[in-house]
């Protein structure tokens, strides 16, 4: 059985932990390879390699770092097909979605290529007579990233390109469900000229994670995953003196106003709710229909589209499927359990995705598109993040009720409003308690030169990922105040130099 191994100090590295985990092809249910689960000592070895490489890399000019990232960008583009197929075969998402994931990650690499400009500090002349001040943005040291299964390439690329561009070294711990993409990215970075030890990949479970959270050499930790784990990551890393940005769960609402273009809204909801089989933190899982008439018309438009979804393997010859399988049998069963519970709690099941069987892939982890109507805020399928192809329609009487519904939820990652009224769109953007807002845009993921992050229990830590926040997170500011007197100072000086 092929093993997915660690990448430490520029080399594929065997593990001696004696522990592995299976990696499956979700479309077939068959094990395709196994991934090593690193011991604590092996993780510390990766940290040691990164620590050793840090002084030289931090001393490398930002321009030279950028040139390596430019080469990495070109290699990503050359190897896009191979990477997309690797992602699809381990995660299950359809090929075009895997390409889209890589493209969004590539945008962060492009942003990081501008690091010579992004690291420019500030300068103030004559803050006092003959006294100048300037700021420096300096790297932290060894940083770590812990990424989820749903974006095995994009989320790591939210983290390490900005970090290494800023002069840090990095240890990546990808999900053990689809670990191969991170190793391939590490190989491409080396091919681009990145020095050994600057970027390392270690595989593992909680044993590996806890080393990253507690080892004194790790200066900062980036995480994306569920809220309970994000809270643990943030509290543990912070208590050990580390910077931490921990992005958690979501329950993203789309408000459908009475004046909305319902064809636009319905089509947008299809992609936002069922793309990537709903396994993304920016998926729209709740449609808030303002008024029963809007809800009835929306359901009438959604139902045939959900029933017509093409569900099957992520990589096929000919016409591509709309939706692939879920990542694992355990997660499939969890999603089916939510559908069971929604029905038991009284939601109206309009389209039932349970029991879907794909010809030739009967052992795959498939769940069909599922649509609920008349969902209420007390129901489990409304309160909790399902992370599957399940869309819930909630009916409210007016805009104020819709806004209150969104704002009262514990999560605040992303949201959207569909309306033709510019004032309503502007007011919603101002008043809603969420970090990312779309107006007639279902998934308002910002471009790489802006920062990505939610509010409330969707994030722990003050700084978001990539964009300006990413640069701030991976650097620390140092301010230098200097004076170069032309004559020797006469006597002791007790006043602030800026007082003169």
């Amino acid at each position: 059985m092929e093993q997915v191994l660690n990448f430490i100090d520029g080399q594929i590295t065997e593990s001696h932990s004696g522990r592995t985990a299976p990696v499956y092809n979700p479309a077939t249910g068959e094990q395709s390879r196994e991934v090593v689960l690193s011991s604590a000592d092996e993780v510390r070895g990766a940290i040691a390699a990164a620590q050793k490489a840090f002084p030289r890399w931090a001393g490398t000019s930002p321009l030279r770092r950028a040139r390596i990232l430019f080469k990495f960008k070109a290699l990503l583009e050359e190897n896009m097909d191979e990477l997309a197929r690797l992602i699809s075969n381990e995660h299950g998402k359809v090929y075009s979605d895997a390409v889209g994931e890589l493209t969004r990650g590539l945008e962060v690499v492009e942003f990081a290529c501008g690091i010579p400009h992004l690291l420019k500090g500030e300068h103030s002349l004559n803050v006092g007579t003959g006294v100048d001040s300037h700021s420096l943005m300096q790297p932290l040291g060894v940083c770590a990233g812990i990424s989820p299964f749903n974006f095995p390439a994009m989320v790591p690329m939210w983290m390490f390109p900005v970090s290494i561009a800023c002069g840090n070294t990095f240890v990546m711990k990808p999900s053990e469900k689809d670990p191969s993409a991170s190793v391939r990215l590490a190989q491409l970075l080396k091919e681009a000229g990145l020095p050994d030890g600057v970027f390392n990949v270690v595989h593992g479970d909680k044993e590996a994670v806890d080393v990253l959270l507690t080892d004194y050499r790790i200066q900062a930790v980036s995480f994306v995953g569920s809220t309970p784990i994000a809270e643990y990551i943030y509290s543990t890393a912070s208590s050990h003196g580390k910077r931490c940005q921990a992005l958690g769960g979501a329950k993203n609402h789309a408000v459908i106003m009475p004046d909305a273009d319902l064809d636009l809204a319905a089509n947008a909801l299809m992609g936002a709710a069922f793309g990537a089989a709903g396994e993304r933190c920016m998926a729209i899982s709740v449609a808030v229909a303002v008024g029963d008439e809007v809800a009835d018309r929306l359901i009438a438009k959604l139902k045939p589209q959900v029933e017509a979804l093409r569900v099957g393997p992520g990589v096929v010859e000919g016409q591509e499927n709309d939706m692939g399988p879920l990542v694992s049998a355990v997660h499939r069963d969890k999603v089916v359990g939510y559908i069971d519970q929604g029905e038991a709690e009284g939601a109206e099941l309009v389209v039932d995705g349970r029991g879907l069987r794909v010809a030739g892939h009967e052992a795959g982890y498939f769940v069909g598109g599922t649509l609920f109507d008349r969902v209420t805020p007390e129901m489990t399928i409304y309160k909790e993040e399902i992370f599957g192809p399940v869309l819930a329609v909630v009916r409210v009487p007016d805009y104020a009720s819709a806004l209150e519904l969104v704002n009262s939820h514990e999560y605040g990652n992303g949201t959207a409003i569909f309306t033709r009224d510019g004032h309503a769109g502007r007011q919603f953007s101002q008043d809603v308690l969420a970090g990312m807002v779309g107006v007639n845009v279902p998934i308002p993921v910002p471009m790489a030169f802006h920062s990505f992050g939610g509010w409330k229990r969707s994030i722990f830590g003050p700084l978001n990922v990539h964009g300006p926040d990413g640069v701030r997170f991976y650097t620390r500011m140092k301010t230098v105040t200097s004076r170069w007197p032309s004559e020797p100072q006469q006597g002791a000086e007790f006043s602030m130099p800026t007082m003169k």
Side-chain angles (χ1 to χ4, degrees), residues 261-300:
D261 180 335
L262 283 188
D263 288 322
L264 169 66
N267 291 336
L269 285 171
M270 289 299 300
F274 303 110
E279 291 178 324
R280 51 189 179 192
C281 66
M282 287 297 287
I284 293 292
S285 55
V286 179
V288 184
V290 179
D292 283 333
E293 181 184 355
V294 171
D296 290 343
R297 292 170 58 206
L298 182 65
I299 290 291

Side-chain angles (χ1 to χ4, degrees), residues 10-236:
Q11 304 295 328
I12 295 292
T13 306
E14 296 280 349
S15 171
H16 301 288
S17 70
R19 297 193 304 132
T20 62
V23 178
Y24 294 98
N25 182 330
T28 64
E30 297 175 351
Q31 183 176 349
S32 57
R33 51 183 65 89
E34 62 182 12
V35 60
V36 299
L37 300 177
S38 305
S39 68
D41 283 342
E42 288 167 341
V43 179
R44 293 188 189 102
I47 297 171
Q51 181 83 344
K52 181 181 178 182
F54 172 68
R56 182 179 178 185
W57 182 243
T60 300
S61 72
L63 182 59
R64 291 180 65 85
R65 295 183 215 140
R67 286 171 178 160
I68 290 173
L69 286 172
F70 272 114
K71 292 179 182 176
F72 177 58
K73 171 186 176 297
L75 289 169
L76 282 173
E77 292 168 335
E78 290 174 18
N79 292 274
M80 188 78 74
D81 177 70
E82 174 203 349
L83 286 163
R85 290 177 182 275
L86 186 62
I87 291 167
S88 183
N89 287 331
E90 286 191 353
H91 172 270
K93 64 181 61 178
V94 298
Y95 176 83
S96 63
D97 197 20
V99 171
E101 168 183 347
L102 288 162
T103 302
R104 295 312 298 259
L106 185 64
E107 290 166 2
V108 180
V109 177
E110 292 170 337
F111 169 75
C113 286
I115 204 65
H117 170 73
L118 299 171
L119 289 182
K120 289 192 302 186
E122 300 169 337
H123 183 272
S124 294
L125 185 68
N126 265 1
V127 296
T129 304
V131 179
D132 305 328
S133 285
H134 69 277
S135 61
L136 307 173
M137 299 172 69
Q138 296 187 313
L140 305 175
V142 183
C143 300
I146 304 165
S147 61
F149 68 79
N150 60 324
F151 287 102
M154 184 188 76
V155 171
M157 285 195 282
W158 280 359
M159 301 172 181
F160 72 78
V162 179
S163 179
I164 64 177
C166 289
N168 302 290
T169 54
F170 208 86
V171 179
M172 188 76 231
K173 208 298 288 183
S175 169
E176 59 272 28
K177 291 184 176 66
D178 43 15
S180 297
S182 286
V183 177
R184 189 70 186 107
L185 294 175
Q187 292 172 322
L188 293 178
L189 279 166
K190 177 164 182 169
E191 188 177 343
L194 192 72
D196 292 348
V198 175
F199 183 71
N200 308 273
V201 178
V202 292
H203 305 290
D205 49 16
K206 188 174 183 296
E207 180 178 344
V209 168
D210 283 345
V211 175
L212 297 175
L213 299 180
T214 59
D215 191 288
Y216 72 94
R217 294 167 293 185
I218 297 290
Q219 301 299 308
V221 177
S222 299
F223 171 82
V224 176
S226 68
T227 286
I229 304 302
E231 194 165 23
Y232 170 78
I233 296 285
Y234 181 75
S235 61
T236 306

